[in-house]
Every structure is written in structure tokens, then in C-alpha cells.
Amino acid sequence: MGIGLHNLTYKNGARGHKRKVSGRGLGSGSTRGFKGNKGQGQRITGNVRPGFEGGQTPLYRRVSKVGFNNYEFATNYNVITLAQIVQYKILDVNQTTLKSLLTNKKWPIKIIGSNDVKLPALKVSVDKISAGAKKLIEDANGTVTIVTTFTKKLPAKKVDKKAVRKSKKVEA
């Protein structure tokens, strides 16, 4: 089969398309730079934040907020595994010796266990410990003491003044 007009093709890359250049006259394909006709979005400073609805009260403010958020009441812990304690060769486990492993120094410490670790005799004094970790430490002739170094700060409760007055009258 020979070369004919029906089977001639260009080599790949021989007829590469030019990069689209916008806003450079009528021949460039767009007199508006592909940004539409006038308005805020066409301007240089026209970028608006997500959720902006042109000054109208946005949806996230129109929809009512319903439900309970546990953020104020949640207790966060610095969770440390027995594998980490063995890795760093800590024998006396407490707030000061675990300083480098803590996420937040204000949070209480909780130790959790793992079965694949060979433990030495540890002396542990932390705020909280899992039952499995406690059993593993005591099986390795270690001691566990629970020390509460933190106090949980709860939001102030509202006092019903009328109820207080009534209770004082009843007592008198």
C-alpha cells in the first residue's frame, strides 16, 4: 500500500495549538477576557469569599442553628501508649517525664495499652489509665497510681433568684 492523500497525517506536535490569550482584541476570542459582561466579578478586586451572596444575608446565616455542641464540656486527654513509654525508655511515668510526648500541657494524661510490648517494672502516676494498660503494668510488677492534677472548668450555672427566695422563706 503506497502513500496517498487518503492516508497522509501530520506528525504529533507538528500543528500545536496556540495558547489562548484573552482580552487582546476581537481576534483573540473574547473582548471581555472570558469574565462575562461588566459587574463585580469582572473587576480586579472582584473576588468574593465563599458563601458571599452579593450583600444578601447568606444561607449559613439564614438557616437556624439547632442542636447541642459539646465543645465546652468535653475533656481532652494527652493519650500516650505503652509502646511510646517503652520506646523512650521511661521507667518513672508522670507529668514531668512525659513532657516531650504531650500534645497540650494543660490537658490530663491518659495511658492506653498494647499487648505486643514487653514492659519493664514501671512506676506510673497519671490522671487516667485504661483497664488493659493497668493490667499489663501490674503483671510486669509495676505500680499504678491515679493522680488528679487537673480540675475541669464548667460554665457558670444560672441561679434562679425566685427559687432561692422561696427556699429561704420555707426554712425560716
Side-chain angles (χ1 to χ4, degrees):
M1 188 164 101
I3 299 174
L5 291 175
H6 67 282
N7 60 5
L8 287 177
T9 57
Y10 291 99
K11 282 183 132 182
N12 286 339
R15 290 168 50 103
H17 294 286
K18 290 183 178 178
R19 186 173 57 91
K20 193 180 270 190
V21 180
S22 65
R24 297 292 183 270
L26 292 172
S28 67
S30 172
T31 56
R32 307 264 190 262
F34 304 104
K35 286 190 164 196
N37 294 313
K38 302 182 184 177
Q40 184 177 14
Q42 197 176 25
R43 308 292 180 232
I44 292 170
T45 58
N47 299 331
V48 292
R49 60 179 159 69
F52 183 70
E53 297 182 20
Q56 171 180 307
T57 304
L59 182 68
Y60 69 87
R61 288 187 58 202
R62 290 196 305 262
V63 176
S64 60
K65 279 69 175 170
V66 179
F68 175 73
N69 185 334
N70 199 30
Y71 182 78
E72 292 181 46
F73 308 100
T75 303
N76 297 314
Y77 288 96
N78 289 304
V79 179
I80 296 168
T81 63
L82 289 175
Q84 288 175 311
I85 293 170
V86 171
Q87 179 185 355
Y88 289 99
K89 297 175 182 157
I90 302 169
L91 296 177
D92 187 19
V93 180
N94 56 38
Q95 182 88 23
T96 55
T97 57
L98 296 174
K99 211 173 254 186
S100 62
L101 297 173
L102 301 182
T103 308
N104 187 330
K105 290 178 175 59
K106 294 179 182 177
W107 293 351
I109 298 171
K110 181 175 182 177
I111 305 290
I112 60 173
S114 51
N115 291 331
D116 57 341
V117 178
K118 189 173 188 315
L119 291 175
L122 297 175
K123 183 181 175 189
V124 179
S125 57
V126 290
D127 300 302
K128 203 166 187 181
I129 189 164
S130 70
K134 186 174 183 179
K135 184 178 182 305
L136 286 170
I137 292 168
E138 288 173 349
D139 288 348
N141 296 326
T143 58
V144 177
T145 54
I146 304 299
V147 181
T148 51
T149 57
F150 72 100
T151 54
K152 191 171 181 183
K153 186 179 178 185
L154 293 173
K157 290 184 178 179
K158 292 181 181 176
V159 177
D160 187 11
K161 292 179 181 177
K162 291 180 181 177
V164 172
R165 285 185 202 140
K166 286 181 181 177
S167 66
K168 285 183 180 177
K169 287 181 181 178
V170 171
E171 289 173 5

